[in-house]
């Protein structure tokens, strides 16, 4: 082996051992120096990170987000700085956080001012003052709020009542409508009721009818009468009784054809068959429909007249579906006639029909009203005022504070210092004064926005969408502080690594010692 090779072979292990020995304190000193530099540069790095975290977006295309100002590639508008949401800018330590209310995990509208259980049996979750249960907390400076016209109202408890104003239609009392028809075939010889709308009293004549069947029935009755008179003194009681039953059967036959008792009595007394028999009115009423004329041939079962008693009428009021919770049977109402100077008629709801009219999408509520002077005419329109029973101690807000979006209702709660929180609620009844009941979602004493909440809603939705499109943010300085134990563990691991340098030296000595003793070439060269 040449001298140059032997020189390299000798000085290589010596250089390695010397490097390891001198490198340990240098590495340790360098580690301490880096820690000091990191501590000094920490605030500056945090400030720089905050400055570089500024994003820019387009007001017309919020999906455009850049790290530097410029122009929108779609509409060529200037990009505007993207404001951070209120939830992200909160710097309160966790120990100072205050619980604002408690909310159900599965139903954000179920909130309480104390811990408890949700309707599903789950524990309520606390919501802190710097958090929002639904959506993002947005911040608006006072000048912008004033320019937007933001107004607020207090959530209070009050009694809700409502006066339902609707239109009613006067109708006939259905059980007092009658159909007049004939039970035999014949000809109308004379018509006493010949006008629609004519008032008819019970027992007054309606028409005279000629029918061959009636003439035959009268003759049979007279024969039965004469036979009964002749067999009344028969020594056989059964024969006399049979003659009597035959006369009663003939009499009953005439009555079943609507021949009055007076006409039958006159026939029995005079013994003369009448060509025409008169049909009388069985009820009081007015003629609402006439389908017969004098001299007309009529058949049995044919409807001739319709009588309706309007001394008592029904008023049908149209109730819309959303007004149904306010209407109950027995509820008081005022019926106001359309002409000037009429006195309101007091009445009560007697019946609510259990179906919806398919054309008007309303439910009929009925009022039974006495009408002795016929002031209420069927098919007349009237005004109906329903006084509903009040809902006591209801949590209410102005109706304009609620944003309706499909199946959800949202209000904006003012948190103070220009911060607003969108919150889902469940609404109930609404009164005439513009107040609406809040079933779930708000607490008494909170303030809600009553105007310009559409702009707040768009801002909240915009920020929520932007946060979803942004990349995850790196850990903050506080996260590094809280993560110091992990850093210490890494330092300990590094220290352990370099503490094993003595063992490494011994291993190298053993290695080269073994090589020098076992290698015959080395021995010969020495």
């Amino acid at each position: 082996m040449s001298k140059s090779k032997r020189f390299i072979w000798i000085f290589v292990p010596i250089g390695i051992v010397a490097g390891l020995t001198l490198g340990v304190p240098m590495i340790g000193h360098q580690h301490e120096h880096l820690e000091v530099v990191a501590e000094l540069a920490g605030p500056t790095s945090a400030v720089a990170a905050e400055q570089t975290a500024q994003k820019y977006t387009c007001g017309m295309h919020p999906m455009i987000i850049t790290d530097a100002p410029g122009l929108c590639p779609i509409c060529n508008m200037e990009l505007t700085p993207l404001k951070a949401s209120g939830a992200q800018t909160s710097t309160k330590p966790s120990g100072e956080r205050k619980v604002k209310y408690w909310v159900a995990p599965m139903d954000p509208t179920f909130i309480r001012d104390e811990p408890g259980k949700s309707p599903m049996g789950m524990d309520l979750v606390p919501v802190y003052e710097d958090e929002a249960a639904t959506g993002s907390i947005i911040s608006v400076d006072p000048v912008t709020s004033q320019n937007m016209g933001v107004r607020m109202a207090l959530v209070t408890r009050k009694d809700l009542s409502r006066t339902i104003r609707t239109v009613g239609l006067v109708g006939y009392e259905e059980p007092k409508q009658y159909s007049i028809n004939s039970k035999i075939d014949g000809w109308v010889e004379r018509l006493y009721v010949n006008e629609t709308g004519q008032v008819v009293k019970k027992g007054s004549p309606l028409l005279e009818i000629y029918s061959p069947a009636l003439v035959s029935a009268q003759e049979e009755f007279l024969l039965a009468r004469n036979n009964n008179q002749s067999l009344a003194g028969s020594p056989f009681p059964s024969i006399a009784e049979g003659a009597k039953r035959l006369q009663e059967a003939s009499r009953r036959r005439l009555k079943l054809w609507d021949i009055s008792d007076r006409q039958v009595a006159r026939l029995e007394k005079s013994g003369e068959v009448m060509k025409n028999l008169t049909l009388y009115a069985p009820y009081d009423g007015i003629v609402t429909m006439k389908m017969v004329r004098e001299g007309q041939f009529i058949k049995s079962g044919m409807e001739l007249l319709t009588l309706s008693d309007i001394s008592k009428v029904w008023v049908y009021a149209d109730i819309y579906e959303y007004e149904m919770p306010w209407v109950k049977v027995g509820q008081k109402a005022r019926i106001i006639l359309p002409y000037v100077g009429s006195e309101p008629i007091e009445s009560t709801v007697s019946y609510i029909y259990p179906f919806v009219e398919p054309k008007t999408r309303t439910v009929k509520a009925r009022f039974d009203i006495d009408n002795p002077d016929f002031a209420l005419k069927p098919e007349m329109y009237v005004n109906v005022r329903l006084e509903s029973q009040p809902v006591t101690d209801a949590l209410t807000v102005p109706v304009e504070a609620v944003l309706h979006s499909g199946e959800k209702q949202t209000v904006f709660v003012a948190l103070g210092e220009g911060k607003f929180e969108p919150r889902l609620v469940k609404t109930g009844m609404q009164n005439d004064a513009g107040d609406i009941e809040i079933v779930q979602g708000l607490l008494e004493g909170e303030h809600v926005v009553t105007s310009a909440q559409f702009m707040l809603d768009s801002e909240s939705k915009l920020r929520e969408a932007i946060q979803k499109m942004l990349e995850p943010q790196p850990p903050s300085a506080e996260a590094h502080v809280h993560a110091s134990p992990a850093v210490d563990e890494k330092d300990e691991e590094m220290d352990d690594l370099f503490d094993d340098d003595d063992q490494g030296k011994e291993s190298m000595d053993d290695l080269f010692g073994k090589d020098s003793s076992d290698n015959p070439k080395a021995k010969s060269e020495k």
Side-chain angles (χ1 to χ4, degrees), residues 162-180:
R162 184 182 181 91
T163 300
I164 298 177
R165 297 173 176 84
T166 184
V167 177
L169 182 66
V170 180
Y172 298 100
E173 187 181 10
E174 292 179 359
K176 296 292 184 66
Q177 288 185 292
Y178 311 104
S179 175
I180 306 301

Side-chain angles (χ1 to χ4, degrees), residues 468-487:
K468 292 180 180 178
M469 291 187 289
L470 290 176
E471 296 181 357
Q473 298 294 331
S476 61
E478 294 182 0
H480 286 293
V481 173
H482 292 297
S484 58
V487 176

Side-chain angles (χ1 to χ4, degrees), residues 187-208:
W187 287 262
V188 178
E189 294 290 331
R190 186 176 180 182
L191 190 61
Y192 293 99
V193 179
N194 203 19
E195 297 177 4
T196 302
Q198 184 176 346
V199 179
V200 176
K201 296 295 183 180
K202 183 178 181 180
S204 60
L206 297 176
L207 55 88
E208 289 184 1

Side-chain angles (χ1 to χ4, degrees), residues 498-517:
F498 288 104
D499 286 343
D500 294 339
D501 289 342
D502 297 336
Q503 299 178 2
K505 291 178 182 180
E506 296 176 357
S507 301
M508 291 295 294
D509 294 338
D510 296 339
L511 174 62
F512 289 106
K514 182 179 179 180
D515 292 340
S516 60
S517 61

Side-chain angles (χ1 to χ4, degrees), residues 57-64 72 74-75 77-78 80 462:
T57 184
C58 176
M60 301 298 294
H61 304 91
M63 75 289 297
I64 303 299
C72 176
I74 299 177
C75 61
M77 291 179 60
E78 184 141 359
T80 58
L462 176 61

Side-chain angles (χ1 to χ4, degrees), residues 241-373:
E241 188 65 26
K244 185 179 179 179
R245 288 199 302 269
L246 181 60
Q247 183 182 357
E248 292 298 326
S250 299
R251 186 194 305 273
R252 186 167 57 254
R253 185 181 182 187
L254 291 174
K255 288 184 178 181
L256 292 176
W257 282 345
D258 292 337
I259 305 303
S260 63
D261 293 339
R262 186 173 56 181
Q263 294 182 89
V264 175
R266 186 175 58 184
L267 174 63
E268 183 178 6
K269 183 178 180 179
S270 65
E272 295 180 359
V273 176
M274 295 177 289
K275 176 187 176 184
N276 300 332
L277 291 179
T278 305
L279 300 182
Y280 294 89
Y283 314 101
D284 294 334
I286 60 172
V287 179
T288 56
M289 187 166 54
K290 184 179 78 71
M291 294 172 290
V292 61
R293 293 181 298 274
E294 194 169 302
Q296 180 180 348
F297 174 77
I298 59 177
K299 297 182 69 66
S300 60
M302 177 180 175
E303 188 173 15
L304 308 177
L305 302 168
T306 299
L307 299 182
S308 300
D309 186 2
I310 62 171
S311 60
K312 190 174 184 179
V313 295
W314 287 355
V315 175
Y316 302 95
D318 289 328
I319 308 298
Y320 287 101
E321 299 176 39
Y322 69 90
E323 297 174 331
M324 286 305 300
W326 297 97
V327 183
K328 306 293 181 184
V329 175
Q331 187 173 328
K332 293 183 179 181
R334 290 180 300 151
I335 310 298
I336 303 174
L337 302 183
Y339 47 84
V340 179
S342 62
E343 292 293 331
I345 301 173
E346 302 293 334
S347 183
T348 57
V349 179
S350 60
Y351 187 68
I352 299 176
Y353 286 84
F355 54 85
V356 177
E357 294 288 339
K359 293 182 179 180
T360 60
R361 304 306 304 170
T362 57
V363 177
K364 299 290 186 183
R366 193 183 75 203
F367 304 89
D368 301 347
I369 302 176
D370 294 329
N371 189 34
D373 55 353

